[in-house]
Amino acid sequence: MAETSKSAHPKGLYVLFVTEMWERFSYYGMRALFVLFMTKALLFDKAAGSQIYGSYIGLVYLTPLIGGYLADRYWGNRKSIIIGGIVMALGQFFMFLSGSLYQQHDTAVTLMYSGLTLLIIGNGFFKPNISTMVGALYPDGDKRRDAAFTIFYMGINLGAFIAPLLCGYLGDTGNPADFKWGFLTAGCGMVLSIFLFLYLKDKYIVTPEGKAIGGKPVKTIQPDPVDNAEEVIKDFSNTQIATWIGVAVAVFFIFFKYLDTDLIGSFIYSFTIAAPGFIISDKSLSKIERERIWVIYIAAFFVIFFWAAFEQAGASLTYFAEEQTNRVLMGHTIPASFFQSVNAVAIVIFAPLFAFMWQFLGNKNREPASPFKQAIGLFLLAVGYLVIAFGVKGLEPGVKVSMMWLISLYVIHTFGELCLSPIGLSMVNKLAPFKFASLLMGVWFLSNAASNKFAGVLSGLYPDPSKPFPHFLGFEIKDLYSFFMIFVFMAGIASVCLFFVSKRLVKLMNGIL
């Protein structure tokens, strides 16, 4: 095993790297333009644009739960990825049609919602399954796995780096008629992703023993990596399904009726609570399996606070870049959408260093456990917002600040992201029981769904001088300083709490770090 852990990564990792890179190109290319398209072409106000943005990115991370379940039980990873990719490509082309007909407002809005629906459904099949396949490339206990997910994450962000530059260059020109070209380019990226996967999967995406990864699941006997025993993959009982559907309905009613949450938000939050309970209640789980799943759930809870702050990049921070950042460089005005590439290019630069660091520490048995890494990520997120909060303190509406404040925030957030997100994917892959591998990856993304919807709600608090000051937890958000300090306190408190519970989580991981 020691020799294996020091060898080169399998070629299948780089096939999945390129496949995910172009899929993320498609996603981030569209995301870089989305709120600008709604406010500049469809003439939505910021609050409405933020709510739609939050609902979209929330649902994008909700559907992987369904896609993971179908893959684990019926389709397998490969078929799910192909179907998901095709559906997402269609969604991007609907966005292209919406941009083409933006002057016909009602038609454009209908086409936009149709495109968003296809993107949400397609992502549900694609996202959890490709992440699961990365871990399957390695034997159990292989110390390269954290480094592999960091490399894979670099592929995600290489696509995220290129997308806002190219799609922003073509779509964010100041002319509303040009948004369609950015959406079309995003669609072409998705087509390329699926083509590469279809062409290369059979040759390279295989286990260390040479067997194909991600085929149709066998519902007879499967080895379980937790205790090296064999177990039967059983379907959930009808009673179990009915019970947790009832819980989801009850929670939905509470959020919608009593907590004044919108329809989509109530739907996302109810699933975020009910779905984990549905899985953990499975009677076939062993004590060790259940403890490891609890680690995933607790880590996922803290991740909600990370992404709720981090995902301001697509909404409030885009408004900030558009309105209050000096974007003139050498006589040319940089499109606001370009700033969404800063985080991605920083990941492309620094991800190899983090991958080397984790692998170096792992070989010396000094690597921090996943929960500690994630607590560090939350702390760095708080630091990034603290930096920009001081940069805008006392800033009057309409006054623009140096772009270095925004760039500094994105770079610091990159370091936090590299401590949290790829490590989280690797942790889920290592801790999840074999029979729930894709489903629990879907639960991990479910935390992203709740956080992204929450991100849209928080982005709606962005101060607008033409409207009354918004309130959050009884506090009035009078300026950008108070707005950004929301995220400083939220991420800082979450970081401290996770540090305190990390030792207990490590014990529950039962030797898996």
Side-chain angles (χ1 to χ4, degrees):
M1 183 60 65
E3 184 178 358
T4 302
S5 67
K6 295 180 181 178
S7 64
H9 290 281
K11 293 180 180 179
L13 173 64
Y14 301 102
V15 174
L16 297 175
F17 175 105
V18 174
T19 302
E20 180 74 346
M21 181 190 78
W22 283 111
E23 185 273 331
R24 290 290 89 182
F25 171 92
S26 175
Y27 173 79
Y28 283 103
M30 177 270 189
R31 194 191 78 160
L33 300 173
F34 187 34
V35 296
L36 297 174
F37 172 65
M38 286 189 289
T39 55
K40 289 186 173 182
L42 301 182
L43 304 180
F44 292 176
D45 63 27
K46 289 188 182 68
S50 294
Q51 283 289 346
I52 295 171
Y53 170 81
S55 295
Y56 164 63
I57 60 174
L59 290 171
V60 155
Y61 285 100
L62 173 67
T63 50
L65 185 71
I66 301 170
Y69 177 80
L70 291 175
D72 282 342
R73 297 288 162 171
Y74 305 109
W75 287 359
N77 301 129
R78 294 186 176 208
K79 184 176 179 180
S80 296
I81 288 170
I82 293 167
I83 292 174
I86 292 171
V87 174
M88 280 193 288
L90 290 173
Q92 296 288 17
F93 294 132
F94 267 85
M95 293 299 295
F96 166 72
L97 292 175
S98 178
S100 301
L101 301 173
Y102 77 97
Q103 290 179 315
Q104 301 176 34
H105 186 270
D106 291 345
T107 301
V109 170
T110 300
L111 288 168
M112 181 188 77
Y113 283 130
S114 299
L116 295 178
T117 301
L118 291 170
L119 289 168
I120 289 163
I121 294 171
N123 187 80
F125 292 118
F126 191 100
K127 189 69 176 172
N129 292 294
I130 195 165
S131 300
T132 300
M133 293 178 83
V134 173
L137 293 168
Y138 298 86
D140 295 334
D142 196 318
K143 292 184 180 297
R144 295 174 297 168
R145 199 172 286 188
D146 270 10
F149 273 97
T150 303
I151 292 170
F152 177 70
Y153 206 68
M154 186 173 68
I156 292 174
N157 284 277
L158 184 59
F161 161 59
I162 300 170
L165 298 180
L166 183 55
C167 296
Y169 175 77
L170 295 172
D172 185 15
T173 64
N175 180 2
D178 288 336
F179 281 113
K180 63 178 180 289
W181 301 120
F183 296 142
L184 179 63
T185 304
C188 292
M190 191 66 246
V191 171
L192 182 57
S193 172
I194 293 303
F195 174 79
L196 291 170
F197 182 77
L198 285 169
Y199 183 70
L200 298 171
K201 63 180 173 61
D202 293 331
K203 185 175 181 180
Y204 295 112
I205 303 179
V206 295
T207 65
E209 296 75 31
K211 297 180 180 179
I213 293 172
K216 188 175 180 179
V218 179
K219 299 181 87 173
T220 54
I221 303 295
Q222 293 288 352
D224 183 78
V226 172
D227 55 12
N228 293 320
E230 291 190 334
E231 64 176 338
V232 178
I233 294 182
K234 300 178 181 179
D235 287 324
F236 296 103
S237 70
N238 291 333
T239 301
Q240 184 185 359
I241 293 172
T243 298
W244 287 102
I245 288 176
V247 170
V249 171
V251 174
F252 171 89
F253 182 78
I254 292 170
F255 273 102
F256 186 69
K257 183 74 173 179
Y258 295 105
L259 299 180
D260 199 26
T261 307
D262 66 18
L263 189 69
I264 293 177
S266 301
F267 183 71
I268 291 173
Y269 299 146
S270 63
F271 261 84
T272 303
I273 294 171
F278 172 67
I279 296 171
I280 202 73
S281 66
D282 187 89
K283 294 180 179 179
S284 68
L285 291 171
S286 68
K287 180 177 181 291
I288 291 177
E289 287 176 329
R290 190 168 275 109
E291 288 177 347
R292 291 177 176 176
I293 291 174
W294 274 116
V295 174
I296 294 173
Y297 289 176
I298 294 168
F301 171 76
F302 286 103
V303 162
I304 290 174
F305 299 103
F306 182 91
W307 291 116
F310 187 92
E311 283 294 339
Q312 296 303 308
S316 66
L317 291 176
T318 297
Y319 297 145
F320 180 75
E322 175 75 18
E323 297 172 355
Q324 295 202 245
T325 300
N326 183 356
R327 296 180 281 115
V328 178
L329 183 64
M330 294 188 293
H332 297 281
T333 301
I334 301 172
S337 56
F338 276 29
F339 285 89
Q340 294 190 43
S341 286
V342 175
N343 165 253
V345 72
I347 283 183
V348 172
I349 293 170
F350 292 108
L353 299 179
F354 274 76
F356 172 79
M357 178 175 66
W358 301 140
Q359 193 162 351
F360 175 79
L361 293 173
N363 290 335
K364 292 182 175 295
N365 294 317
R366 298 179 63 183
E367 183 179 5
S370 297
F372 286 103
K373 294 177 185 176
Q374 291 166 336
I376 293 169
L378 278 160
F379 173 76
L380 290 170
L381 185 79
V383 171
Y385 274 109
L386 187 62
V387 167
I388 201 168
F390 280 108
V392 301
K393 191 172 184 179
L395 188 69
E396 296 293 329
V399 177
K400 297 187 176 183
V401 299
S402 169
M403 67 178 72
M404 292 309 298
W405 291 107
L406 192 54
I407 291 172
S408 297
L409 173 142
Y410 280 133
V411 173
I412 295 170
H413 283 186
T414 297
F415 298 151
E417 186 180 3
L418 285 169
C419 290
L420 183 139
S421 189
I423 303 307
L425 294 175
S426 177
M427 182 188 71
V428 175
N429 188 270
K430 289 184 288 188
L431 293 176
F434 176 83
K435 58 190 173 185
F436 292 148
S438 294
L439 187 58
L440 280 167
M441 191 66 75
V443 169
W444 182 257
F445 289 124
L446 189 59
S447 69
N448 291 56
S451 60
N452 286 330
K453 177 58 182 173
F454 189 36
V457 173
L458 293 175
S459 184
L461 301 174
Y462 189 83
D464 187 339
S466 65
K467 294 186 176 181
F469 293 128
H471 288 76
F472 182 69
L473 298 178
F475 295 96
E476 193 173 51
I477 311 301
K478 295 181 179 180
D479 53 21
L480 287 171
Y481 173 78
S482 56
F483 175 72
F484 289 133
M485 287 302 293
I486 292 173
F487 305 105
V488 174
F489 286 110
M490 184 174 72
I493 293 170
S495 174
V496 172
C497 292
L498 184 53
F499 269 119
F500 276 114
V501 302
S502 290
K503 288 186 179 180
R504 176 59 180 164
L505 293 181
V506 171
K507 290 182 180 179
L508 292 176
M509 291 169 75
N510 295 288
I512 292 182
L513 301 178

